[in-house]
Amino acid sequence: MLLNCDLGESYGSWRMGLDDAVMPHIDQANIACGFHAGDPLTIDRTLALAARHGVSVGAHPAYPDLVGFGRRSMALSEDELASSLRYQIAALDGMAACHGLQITYVKPHGALYNDMMADDAVRTAVMRSVAGYHRPLALMLQATPEADSHREEARKYALTLLFEAFADRCYADDGRLRSRRLPDAVHARERMLDQVRQILEHSTVTTHGGKSLALAIDSLCVHGDNPDGVNAIQEIRQLIAGGA
């Protein structure tokens, strides 16, 4: 199983995450593209860090919402959303090339990610946009009990999917993430490590309501803005390396 993290999310003098501490321990860096976070210098430095540590890079595009860190839904038309995504992907892809890197996948951020998982029309727009890029890119989305349906949708666009689970987030009973507006949405260290062990040993997560969900998972995410997750990244890496 791969380990991924959302990185490059600082902006100007505003600092987010501990990219230097995380990068040596992950396989995939989801790098902000400027619309929710990530100024040009931050993006450049994050790509250089990924190149130094041999980490695969993916675009982490969002709604154009710097003030809200991309955590607010926006009513964009399908064409607006598609153009917004390709603009962000192309910007990161071009900067990555300057470091001898090539992005290989796209993982939407924040509200766009949640909307993509909950709304068929948004998910279709995202899939069409990624599939319409000038070269093949995979799309990373949440592993849920609807994975087979999502694969069927992606086949229409010849799009490869990467399914991810979350080490540090609580799951709702429907398999989606518990809203950050609710208590217990983000796990502290011990609960997070327990969830990682459960995923590795049984390919399941236990929801907030106590339900066990079986998930097909390609990559495990630790959020760079969760201090407990960052502090435990080495232990999570060791758990993955040991198979639990």
Side-chain angles (χ1 to χ4, degrees):
M1 185 178 297
L2 301 174
L3 183 61
N4 79 79
C5 190
D6 305 339
L7 298 175
E9 293 186 313
S10 296
Y11 197 89
S13 61
W14 183 78
R15 312 309 296 170
M16 171 64 80
L18 299 170
D19 294 9
D20 289 349
V22 169
M23 195 72 80
H25 306 291
I26 62 173
D27 303 294
Q28 299 168 305
N30 320 314
I31 301 179
C33 304
F35 274 30
H36 77 282
D39 62 86
L41 181 56
T42 294
I43 292 171
D44 201 45
R45 287 174 172 170
T46 308
L47 287 165
L49 193 61
R52 192 180 314 145
H53 291 284
V55 174
S56 296
V57 295
H60 196 41
Y63 288 126
D65 179 28
L66 272 175
V67 173
F69 195 63
R71 288 180 175 165
R72 301 180 294 189
S73 295
M74 300 183 73
L76 303 183
S77 70
E78 182 175 331
D79 286 345
E80 284 180 306
L81 180 55
S83 296
S84 172
L85 288 174
R86 288 176 189 162
Y87 180 94
Q88 294 177 76
I89 294 165
L92 187 71
D93 199 19
M95 292 187 74
C98 296
H99 293 275
L101 299 173
Q102 190 176 69
I103 66 171
T104 57
Y105 65 95
V106 176
K107 175 189 170 180
H109 164 83
L112 178 56
Y113 187 97
N114 293 334
D115 291 349
M116 171 184 72
M117 297 308 305
D119 188 319
D120 292 351
V122 174
R123 189 168 58 255
T124 295
V126 171
M127 285 187 174
R128 284 178 174 169
S129 178
V130 175
Y133 197 60
H134 65 84
R135 60 180 177 79
L137 296 172
L139 174 64
M140 185 177 286
L141 73 168
Q142 188 182 342
T144 72
E146 289 79 42
D148 286 343
S149 175
H150 295 154
R151 288 192 190 94
E152 191 61 34
E153 292 171 351
R155 285 192 194 99
K156 300 174 186 176
Y157 309 104
L159 184 63
T160 299
L161 298 182
L162 298 173
F163 290 103
E164 72 168 341
F166 293 84
D168 53 358
R169 290 296 305 277
C170 180
Y171 283 77
D173 285 351
D174 63 1
R176 295 184 172 86
L177 298 181
R178 184 170 170 81
S179 171
R180 287 180 181 264
R181 300 185 186 94
L182 300 174
D184 304 321
V186 179
H187 292 320
R189 180 187 178 92
E190 289 308 315
R191 180 67 190 90
M192 173 178 50
L193 292 174
D194 286 343
Q195 183 154 290
V196 171
R197 293 186 187 97
Q198 182 178 350
I199 288 170
L200 292 171
E201 293 174 3
H202 306 291
S203 296
T204 64
V205 295
T206 300
T207 70
H208 189 263
K211 183 178 179 181
S212 180
L213 294 177
L215 302 174
I217 302 163
D218 300 305
S219 189
L220 184 64
C221 177
V222 176
H223 284 97
D225 60 349
N226 177 6
D228 283 328
V230 173
N231 291 336
I233 195 79
Q234 284 183 271
E235 192 166 352
I236 292 171
R237 176 82 269 170
Q238 290 168 359
L239 287 171
I240 291 174

